[in-house]
Amino acid sequence: MTSNPSTSPLIPRTLLLPFILITSLFALWGFANDITNPMVAAFKRVLELNNVQASLVQMAFYGGYFTMALPAAIFIKKYSYKVGVLIGLGLYAFGALLFYPAAAWESYFFFLMALYILTFGLAFLETTANPYVLSMGSEETATQRLNFAQAFNPMGALAGLFVAKEYILNALQSNNVDAIGNLIYPTLEETSKAIIRTNDLLVIRNPYVMLGLVVIALAVVIFMVKMPENKSKSGNIDFWPSMKRLAIKPQFVEGVIAQMFYVGAQIMVWTYIYQYADTLGIDNASAVNYAYSALILFLVGRWICTFLFRFFSPARLLLYFSVLAICFTLGAVFIQGMLGLYSLVGISLAMSLMFPTIYGIALEGLGEDGKYGAAFLVMAIVGGAIMPTLQGVILDFGGPGYDDIRILGVPEVNFSFVLPLLCFVVVGVFAWRR
């Protein structure tokens, strides 16, 4: 199934500056996502946690989306997209700056609360920015425009990974090994561990504090620039009537379900690549290079798909890429060694178009109800909180390691990727039904 090339401009000239500013937000939350993914392994080592405890980083991070997305949608329905963006940036900065007292208190719970609040801001930004971009031009080019804007998300993610590697993982003293490659930190006395723990938590703190200051600066710029308001025509909340209309639209309801499973798969693939690499003798700092490769493929895929939308319908392209993701994930599960790791990296190419395409298909034709619809699609990001924790449970089956037992003939870290496999099947069914 193909679609005719669009004759409408992707971005009207009069909206170019607002589009650029809002698109910068996609990079900003990409940075937050991918500086945080390696923190699961970092906190596990520094604070000597098990896999389930360490996965609470993702529970806090993506749980904030679920908590705040609907309040954000109600807020922007009453006021405007611009105000929603400014509130989101404020919460983002506040959460990032809370890393300062969290490090001072050396409290894992405080770090989790800081991440939770930070993602209140991200929920506001995603609830606002995605439909804002869809509205900046004709509905004919809306999904293509959102894919174009979302292509800047992995650019921010690459920057987040760079900071995580160069300024966090490489600087953690708890990662030091002896002459034969064994970790030194677990063998130390508690007084020595306390010194290293204090140092490492400060290392984790500093990039987040700097990020908070950058976010404040961007908020000032957006505040000063005239932006299209896109306020609700009536200004009424109209919550329950909108909910009833959304509930009877299968395309929207199934889109929310597909989005939840997709985000769960994405976060599992990008979080547990470090644990997968660990079983192959690759340390966390070196494993970042494979995460880099995954994000580069993700970025390339976004640009390729923006072009392919000229010739294929969004649903058909989503189906093709879902099948590709399933094939790569089967490789990650059942192929051991470096080829399995390469398969895991390759999944990112297949995932590249999924989030914005599911988003665009689910919201198509919703009109004013799209503001609440957008909130549910952002709430679906809670899949990124639930699924990694379930994968952590699988990783703890045989003990705290990643190759303690064999399941279907493969290490438990390989087997754990049956969860992303299930998620991609759900996305594929959604695309096939469209």
Side-chain angles (χ1 to χ4, degrees):
M1 177 174 159
T2 60
S3 58
N4 294 326
S6 172
T7 57
S8 302
L10 189 63
I11 307 152
R13 289 186 179 182
T14 55
L15 297 178
L16 187 57
L17 179 58
F19 180 83
I20 290 171
L21 289 173
I22 297 304
T23 298
S24 71
L25 302 178
F26 290 79
L28 204 57
W29 70 64
F31 184 97
N33 288 343
D34 279 83
I35 195 176
T36 301
N37 286 337
M39 293 305 101
V40 174
F43 277 118
K44 180 179 186 292
R45 185 155 294 166
V46 174
L47 299 176
E48 299 181 288
L49 309 172
N50 63 34
N51 289 304
V52 172
Q53 289 171 327
S55 72
L56 293 178
V57 168
Q58 299 293 37
M59 179 70 78
F61 192 89
Y62 292 97
Y65 279 101
F66 183 81
T67 305
M68 192 53 65
L70 195 55
I74 294 172
F75 186 90
I76 63 174
K77 177 85 171 180
K78 180 68 175 176
Y79 298 99
S80 70
Y81 284 136
K82 180 176 180 178
V83 174
V85 167
L86 292 174
I87 294 294
L89 290 171
L91 288 168
Y92 187 164
F94 181 58
L97 293 175
L98 282 177
F99 268 64
Y100 194 95
W105 289 9
E106 299 189 1
S107 168
Y108 184 48
F109 176 77
F110 204 149
F111 277 111
L112 294 178
M113 285 302 300
L115 283 170
Y116 188 54
I117 293 170
L118 185 153
T119 52
F120 284 178
L122 298 186
F124 255 91
L125 293 179
E126 293 217 35
T127 302
T128 305
N130 285 296
Y132 209 176
V133 165
L134 289 173
S135 72
M136 289 184 178
S138 71
E139 186 168 329
E140 183 184 2
T141 58
T143 299
Q144 185 182 0
R145 185 165 50 254
L146 183 57
N147 269 273
F148 177 75
Q150 285 272 1
F152 291 87
N153 175 269
M155 293 182 181
L158 283 168
L161 268 182
F162 175 80
V163 171
K165 178 184 179 183
E166 300 300 327
Y167 298 101
I168 298 180
L169 296 179
N170 281 345
L172 294 178
Q173 293 181 14
S174 55
N175 281 339
N176 292 342
V177 295
D178 59 24
I180 59 175
N182 294 321
L183 285 170
I184 298 171
Y185 184 66
T187 67
L188 298 175
E189 295 181 356
E190 183 54 38
T191 53
S192 299
K193 283 184 178 180
I195 295 171
I196 292 176
R197 183 164 54 245
T198 298
N199 172 81
D200 285 2
L201 292 178
L202 292 178
V203 167
I204 291 171
R205 176 201 73 184
N206 292 339
Y208 282 91
V209 172
M210 291 298 298
L211 176 60
L213 298 176
V214 170
V215 170
I216 290 171
L218 180 60
V220 171
V221 172
I222 291 178
F223 176 77
M224 295 175 65
V225 171
K226 182 175 176 59
M227 307 283 287
E229 286 298 307
N230 291 90
K231 187 175 180 179
S232 173
K233 294 181 179 67
S234 65
N236 295 327
I237 299 300
D238 195 32
F239 180 74
W240 289 114
S242 184
M243 293 300 98
K244 292 176 182 177
R245 290 191 294 270
L246 289 172
I248 61 174
K249 294 186 181 293
Q251 182 167 307
F252 169 74
V253 174
E254 292 173 18
V256 171
I257 295 169
Q259 197 73 291
M260 182 179 72
F261 278 91
Y262 162 68
V263 175
Q266 176 187 296
I267 302 310
M268 285 186 285
V269 168
W270 288 354
T271 297
Y272 290 107
I273 192 171
Y274 301 94
Q275 287 79 352
Y276 197 103
D278 185 87
T279 63
L280 302 177
I282 302 169
D283 61 53
N284 286 344
S286 299
V288 171
N289 293 324
Y290 295 94
Y292 272 138
S293 300
L295 276 174
I296 290 170
L297 285 177
F298 191 78
L299 175 60
V300 169
R302 279 270 166 91
W303 291 113
I304 291 173
C305 291
T306 299
F307 172 76
L308 290 178
F309 277 121
R310 298 181 182 181
F311 310 105
F312 296 93
S313 72
R316 181 54 59 92
L317 207 56
L318 179 62
L319 177 59
Y320 293 156
F321 275 66
S322 298
V323 172
L324 184 62
I326 289 168
C327 293
F328 276 129
T329 309
L330 284 170
V333 172
F334 292 109
I335 301 175
Q336 299 182 52
M338 292 303 298
L339 191 56
L341 180 58
Y342 296 149
S343 295
L344 182 55
V345 170
I347 296 171
S348 292
L349 175 65
M351 293 193 301
S352 59
L353 90 162
M354 290 186 179
F355 184 93
T357 304
I358 295 169
Y359 197 102
I361 293 171
L363 292 185
E364 187 175 354
L366 293 186
E368 279 294 309
D369 290 339
K371 291 183 177 179
Y372 288 131
F376 281 98
L377 286 161
V378 172
M379 288 173 71
I381 291 175
V382 74
I386 298 169
M387 296 295 185
T389 302
L390 294 178
Q391 193 167 6
V393 171
I394 294 175
L395 291 176
D396 277 338
F397 275 176
Y402 310 125
D403 190 7
D404 300 306
I405 60 170
R406 296 271 162 153
I407 305 173
L408 298 182
V410 298
E412 75 256 41
V413 69
N414 289 57
F415 177 79
S416 70
F417 282 91
V418 298
L419 292 178
L421 179 66
L422 170 65
C423 294
F424 292 129
V425 170
V426 172
V427 173
V429 170
F430 169 72
W432 176 71
R433 283 175 54 81
R434 305 280 73 78

